[in-house]
Amino acid sequence: MADGALTASPPAGTRPALRIAIVYLAARALTTLFFLLAAEISGPASRFGADATVGSLSMGWDAQWYWLVATGGYPSELPRDESGAVAENAWAFMPVYPALARILGLVTGYPVAAVLISLVAGYLACLALHALLRGRLDSTAALWAVALFASGPLAALFQMGYAESLFLLWLLLALRALQRRRFGWLYLLIPLMGYTRPGVLAFALLLALYGIARWARRRRDALGAREIVHIVALGLLAAAVGFSWQAIAGLVTGEPGAYLETELSWRRSWTGDPDAAFRPFDGFVQASALWFRLWGLPEWWGWIALAACVLAVAAALLFAPQVRVLGTEIRLWSAAYLVYLLAVFFPQSSLFRLLLPLAPLYGALAVPRSWAWRGGMLALGLVGQWWWIYNMLALGNTYYQIP
């Protein structure tokens, strides 16, 4: 076992899959209760109206876009607003999830199929997370990490028509394959990730960092030519898949910048700048100033806060013992994904949802053995989940209440 890993004998009793199923179903029951409360609270001013139901909440917001992709495909001509700028459209949403939901929906109907895929993928993602962490933590800590993940602030997405559950499944399986150095599986998992939702470019960066880390310690951990070929080839594959959707959108619409312009259409609704262009890392710089300005504070406070957050997170990934024990693959993935978000995203209320691929870090929260700590983290996650459901679904009537 790698240095720094916690060790313990597996406990007697039920098999991990059954224990995880019990944890997952209990978490989904609580989420369903939260959905019922949110539907009851939803009023005329809410996006869902006074007659909201659990079903309508589950298929709200981006779930509608995936449904549109499943039934109508992608536009061959980009829609435009009154100023002539590209308007929000289906090219921002990847095809794997709606395609699977459409196939299953032939039997169940699309809404049921979409939620069912999310539910099943969420459970399988819990199994994958447990396997990923079990090599680094004792079985109790790994199970607690799964409980925190299944009950966390964004756990409502396991019961919504979003692609997050399915993407997390592919991601956690990919990290497990990298952890075990089963590189062959990544040739399948990388395209599945890339065409389920954006983020595979972060995996390309992970592979680059992983290759550098393996090379640096090659005298202690042999790095053969075959592994080098796999790491380089998989990194190139991830990069190619990541950029291919832009090429596909450009070919279908006849506009090379179709995908970037589509993504920028959401950013323009925040900045109000019809001529906004994509520049790496500019989104976070702009948004940090925007949010502090909206709060009546000097813009430069926002830049200081951004720099402080970046330094604090970097320090945690580098030095926090609870994070270090999770191993190289999880730490490098977390760093790569955060750099990717900093490079491409404009932070707003959807940022909470976009942090979900950092799920392996729940292992760090589960490391302390105190029942008070673990129970407190579980309770905090459930409070955060209700806060998210209440604001994004029960209310959902202003610019900062978009999931």
Side-chain angles (χ1 to χ4, degrees):
M1 183 171 291
D3 293 341
L6 300 178
T7 59
S9 299
T14 56
R15 299 171 68 87
L18 179 56
R19 296 199 303 273
I20 292 168
I22 293 170
V23 168
Y24 186 71
L25 290 174
R28 300 287 62 77
L30 286 171
T31 299
T32 301
L33 175 61
F34 291 159
F35 269 74
L36 288 167
L37 292 173
E40 188 67 25
I41 293 170
S42 180
S46 166
R47 179 183 179 91
F48 298 95
D51 57 349
T53 64
V54 171
S56 64
L57 296 181
S58 296
M59 290 302 296
W61 298 104
D62 286 1
Q64 294 289 310
W65 282 108
Y66 286 112
W67 197 349
L68 177 64
V69 170
T71 56
Y74 296 94
S76 57
E77 183 176 343
L78 294 176
R80 298 185 180 273
D81 60 23
E82 295 178 356
S83 70
V86 173
E88 298 171 359
N89 66 84
W91 281 109
F93 301 90
M94 305 302 176
V96 168
Y97 174 76
L100 291 177
R102 180 180 181 180
I103 293 170
L104 182 59
L106 295 174
V107 177
T108 65
Y110 182 87
V112 173
V115 174
L116 185 60
I117 288 172
S118 291
L119 277 168
V120 173
Y123 169 65
L124 295 177
C126 287
L127 292 178
L129 178 62
H130 185 270
L132 180 66
L133 295 175
R134 188 62 187 87
R136 306 294 307 187
L137 308 178
D138 63 69
S139 58
T140 301
L143 187 61
W144 266 102
V146 168
L148 296 176
F149 170 58
S151 307
L154 278 299
L157 292 169
F158 297 135
Q159 294 175 226
M160 296 181 69
Y162 275 59
E164 266 69 12
S165 289
L166 193 60
F167 179 82
L168 281 170
L169 173 59
W170 308 141
L171 169 65
L172 294 170
L173 288 174
L175 289 174
R176 179 59 172 158
L178 187 63
Q179 186 185 63
R180 300 182 67 194
R181 301 178 184 178
R182 302 290 182 86
F183 296 106
W185 284 103
L186 293 176
Y187 291 96
L188 170 64
L189 290 167
I190 284 173
L192 287 173
M193 275 193 289
Y195 297 120
T196 297
R197 69 176 302 279
V200 74
L201 288 176
F203 205 85
L205 177 56
L206 160 65
L207 288 166
L209 297 173
Y210 176 81
I212 293 170
R214 289 289 308 279
W215 177 261
R217 64 180 189 225
R218 63 191 182 280
R219 293 183 179 179
R220 292 181 289 112
D221 182 7
L223 178 64
R226 185 176 180 181
E227 285 189 304
I228 293 173
V229 170
H230 276 308
I231 293 168
V232 172
L234 288 165
L236 293 173
L237 174 63
V241 170
F243 287 111
S244 67
W245 192 245
Q246 297 182 38
I248 293 169
L251 286 172
V252 172
T253 63
E255 300 190 37
Y259 176 71
L260 279 181
E261 288 298 313
T262 295
E263 290 288 2
L264 285 171
S265 66
W266 269 270
R267 183 178 300 190
R268 293 186 187 109
S269 67
W270 287 87
T271 64
D273 180 7
D275 300 318
F278 173 74
R279 291 182 292 273
F281 301 101
D282 190 47
F284 264 83
V285 175
Q286 280 187 327
S288 58
L290 171 67
W291 282 104
F292 274 73
R293 188 168 63 246
L294 288 172
W295 296 332
L297 298 171
E299 292 184 355
W300 57 270
W301 283 24
W303 298 327
I304 292 175
L306 174 61
C309 287
V310 170
L311 290 174
V313 171
L317 292 177
L318 286 170
F319 305 117
Q322 297 87 351
V323 178
R324 290 175 63 86
V325 77
L326 300 180
T328 299
E329 295 81 9
I330 290 175
R331 293 167 67 208
L332 289 181
W333 162 251
S334 301
Y337 185 70
L338 287 169
V339 169
Y340 165 79
L341 283 186
L342 282 170
V344 306
F345 188 60
F346 182 89
Q348 25 80 5
S349 56
S350 295
L351 178 62
F352 300 110
R353 174 169 56 85
L354 268 67
L355 291 175
L356 196 54
L358 296 174
L361 292 179
Y362 275 112
L365 294 180
V367 167
R369 298 176 182 273
S370 166
W371 279 89
W373 168 265
R374 289 169 170 172
M377 289 296 100
L378 183 62
L380 191 61
L382 290 170
V383 170
Q385 184 182 158
W386 169 244
W387 179 90
W388 191 88
I389 291 172
Y390 174 73
N391 278 278
M392 308 302 174
L393 302 180
L395 300 183
N397 56 5
T398 189
Y399 67 94
Y400 58 81
Q401 292 171 331
I402 300 173

